[in-house]
Amino acid sequence: MKHLPQISESEFEVMKIVWKCAPISTTEITDRLVATTSWSPKTIQTLIKRLVTKGALTYEKHSRVFVYTPLVDEEEYIGQESNSFLKRFYGGDFSAMLSAYLDHGKLSEHEIDSLRALLSENSGKEKKNKDL
């Protein structure tokens, strides 16, 4: 498994924009984050620089404009973070995590229904694969 950089919550907000809109300029990233956070443009530029230093982003200079693209795949990063969370707080036991969410009322009826549908769908796939 490839080692992915540690990304703070603030840096993750920048990454979400880059993942969604890449290639994207510093100005476009800044405009989007200024509209949704209380961060100054200087703070946003610092976060972008940190992500470049960590190897999460790369850039090309087009005239006087820096254009960023991700070096880290979004699904891979989120998967790593999910696994890390699961191991850290639930010893890697997904059932224990789900039980904790259910016991503390953290899942809505809609979310529970969605989980049932996913489990049912996955169960059907598993049965189909066994029959092959």
Side-chain angles (χ1 to χ4, degrees), residues 82-98 100:
S82 297
N83 287 336
S84 178
F85 174 83
L86 187 61
K87 286 177 187 170
R88 181 174 180 195
F89 293 103
Y90 298 99
D93 185 350
F94 183 77
S95 297
M97 182 185 77
L98 188 55

Side-chain angles (χ1 to χ4, degrees), residues 19 27-28 45 49 53 66 101 115:
W19 281 321
T27 303
E28 292 170 309
Q45 291 171 9
K49 287 177 189 172
T53 301
F66 288 86
Y101 274 75
L115 283 169

Side-chain angles (χ1 to χ4, degrees), residues 50-120:
R50 285 185 193 164
L51 288 164
V52 169
T53 301
K54 290 180 177 187
L57 294 179
T58 188
Y59 66 90
E60 291 182 5
K61 191 172 181 184
H62 297 237
S63 298
R64 298 179 66 190
V65 177
F66 288 86
V67 177
Y68 296 88
T69 55
L71 290 173
V72 173
D73 179 72
E74 181 178 17
E75 286 185 24
E76 189 176 3
Y77 181 78
I78 291 172
Q80 172 186 282
E81 289 300 300
S82 297
N83 287 336
S84 178
F85 174 83
L86 187 61
K87 286 177 187 170
R88 181 174 180 195
F89 293 103
Y90 298 99
D93 185 350
F94 183 77
S95 297
M97 182 185 77
L98 188 55
S99 179
Y101 274 75
L102 290 168
D103 291 347
H104 295 96
K106 299 286 185 187
L107 297 176
S108 69
E109 283 301 317
H110 175 72
E111 290 168 323
I112 292 169
D113 290 342
S114 293
L115 283 169
R116 280 190 184 111
L118 285 170
L119 291 169
S120 178

